């Protein structure tokens, strides 16, 4: 029964939309509103959420909480009256990997915890494998690619498609459909940035093209414009960007300031278009 409930919980969370819920009770006396760091009832099955809720990367935790909150609400509505309800318990890691690991271990140690949702820096999660394995609790990564980094463990899973697969589709589009000859990659100096670079370089090579030109930027984003300028100097035709949402806006603004507007060419066309 425990395994069945857990599968249902993780499936519901995986497909839940990122949408706010309204305040009120879900039919089991558990209100759906702001994040709570501790269980409010003694008879619930706990789903722990550890994520970055404050700071520059707060979008990770905020989006994950809204989706998980909605999913747990829907899950409880579908529960039979005799079954214990699920309860979402949320912790803010503040962007600290050390704090995130400690919070995961604390939530796993609760006897009623049946699963962990993780929305922090991805490289932290595999380090929690021992704690997860001791209690047989799975953890689901919301943002990041442990598969592409070959860091998935028996008790860790990820919701997002691997950057390996994404890179293959991007490379095929740029080289086959658009017929670009030079591709640049702009990536953060992070774990995910490294996975993105490796995935994109491999995909370009497998598609029969030379490895793309790569530039990296740091967390402050102060060197992002210089990274773009280096690609411009290399006469790059297409840029693949890795990073949080705000980075794409900054890259677009930087290109606009450089007057690097998109101009179609005879070669940059849809190869699949009908004549």
């Amino acid at each position: 029964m425990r395994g069945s409930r857990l599968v249902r919980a993780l499936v519901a969370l995986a497909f839940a939309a990122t949408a706010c819920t309204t305040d009120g009770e879900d039919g089991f006396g558990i209100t759906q509103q702001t994040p709570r760091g501790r269980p409010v009832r003694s008879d619930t099955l706990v789903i722990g959420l550890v994520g970055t809720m404050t700071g520059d990367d707060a979008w990770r935790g905020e989006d994950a909480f809204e989706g998980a909150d909605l999913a747990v609400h829907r899950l409880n509505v579908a529960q039979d009256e005799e079954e214990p309800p699920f309860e979402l318990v949320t912790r803010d890691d503040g962007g600290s990997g050390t704090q995130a690991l400690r919070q995961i271990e604390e939530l796993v140690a609760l006897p009623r915890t049946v699963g962990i949702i993780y929305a922090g820096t991805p490289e932290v999660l595999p380090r929690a494998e021992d704690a997860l394995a001791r209690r047989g609790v799975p953890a689901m990564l919301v943002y990041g690619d442990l598969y592409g980094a070959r860091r998935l463990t028996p008790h860790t899973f990820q919701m997002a498609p691997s950057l390996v697969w994404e890179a293959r589709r991007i490379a095929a589009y740029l080289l086959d459909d658009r017929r670009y000859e030079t591709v640049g990659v702009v990536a953060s100096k992070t774990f995910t940035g490294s996975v993105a670079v490796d995935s994109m370089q491999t995909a370009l090579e497998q598609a029969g093209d030379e490895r793309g030109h790569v530039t990296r930027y740091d967390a402050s984003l102060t060197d992002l414009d210089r990274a773009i300028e280096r690609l411009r100097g290399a006469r790059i035709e297409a840029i693949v960007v890795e990073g949080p949402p705000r980075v794409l806006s900054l890259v677009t603004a930087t290109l606009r300031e450089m007057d690097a507007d998109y101009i179609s060419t005879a070669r940059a066309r849809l190869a699949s278009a009908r004549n």
Side-chain angles (χ1 to χ4, degrees), residues 217-234:
Y217 62 88
D218 59 34
S220 68
L221 303 181
T222 55
D223 58 346
L224 186 59
D225 55 345
R226 291 193 294 274
I228 300 299
E229 187 63 49
R230 287 193 290 272
L231 292 181
R232 186 182 189 183

Side-chain angles (χ1 to χ4, degrees), residues 49-73:
L49 168 61
V50 175
T52 306
M53 310 289 290
T54 54
D56 291 338
D57 291 326
W59 62 272
R60 291 176 178 268
E62 291 172 352
D63 286 359
F65 170 75
E66 291 179 357
D69 188 37
L70 175 60
V72 170
H73 170 73

Side-chain angles (χ1 to χ4, degrees), residues 145 147-149 158 160-176 183-185 187 192-210 212 239-242:
D145 184 14
Y147 173 88
Q158 68 183 54
S162 173
L163 295 175
V164 172
W165 306 329
E166 292 183 11
R168 289 173 183 168
R169 296 310 308 148
I170 291 172
Y173 170 74
L174 295 178
L175 302 179
D176 297 338
V183 177
V185 180
T192 300
S194 296
V195 176
V197 168
D198 290 344
S199 299
M200 201 66 220
Q201 296 282 50
T202 299
L204 290 171
E205 285 185 332
Q206 290 176 344
D209 195 56
E210 296 181 359
I239 299 176
V240 179
V241 180
E242 178 281 324

